[in-house]
Amino acid sequence: MSIEVIRIDNDALLQQAFDIRVKVFVDEQGVDQRLEYEYEDESTHFLALLGGKPIGTARWRKTDGGYKLERFAVLQAYRSSGAGAALLKAVLTDVLPTDEKVYLNAQTQVVNFYAKYGFAPVGKEFEEAGIMHYKMEFSK
């Protein structure tokens, strides 16, 4: 079975994305749930499906600094499935081409993953929601 990535276009699919984010960020990583829900209405959301089952999610939103890719989350049992790569490719396809900056804040442990797809760290490591990150920018 291959990973299918869809753009979320209704509340039921959005709730599935939220459920994945709670499992990954809140339950697994200990992020305060109050920090998890920001900018939802201004974001474009995606869902990764395997055999119709939701296994991952991501979103992008327009900011003053360009296009910010964020909230990449894949359920633990599917982290070797290619869902993360499929989500990243789908989100990039949605925002590119653009003359504006495309960037994300990557958790330190996944910097190498994003680097394989054209992102490079910018600046120093920083803490966000209790987790260490690097800002990374996409180079075309």
Side-chain angles (χ1 to χ4, degrees), residues 48-119:
L49 305 168
L50 181 61
K53 176 184 174 147
I55 63 166
T57 188
R59 73 181 195 192
W60 67 262
R61 66 185 171 94
K62 185 77 173 71
T63 70
D64 291 339
Y67 289 96
K68 186 176 185 189
L69 316 186
E70 45 190 12
R71 299 302 198 274
F72 284 85
V74 175
L75 295 174
Q76 192 170 28
Y78 299 96
R79 294 209 180 124
S80 301
S81 68
L87 281 162
L88 183 56
K89 290 173 186 174
V91 172
L92 282 172
T93 297
D94 209 45
V95 300
L96 296 175
T98 181
D99 291 333
E100 297 195 50
K101 191 176 295 181
V102 176
Y103 68 102
L104 51 81
N105 292 340
Q107 292 184 12
T108 300
Q109 71 268 17
V110 291
V111 164
N112 289 337
F113 167 78
Y114 291 109
K116 288 192 293 190
Y117 296 95
F119 286 85

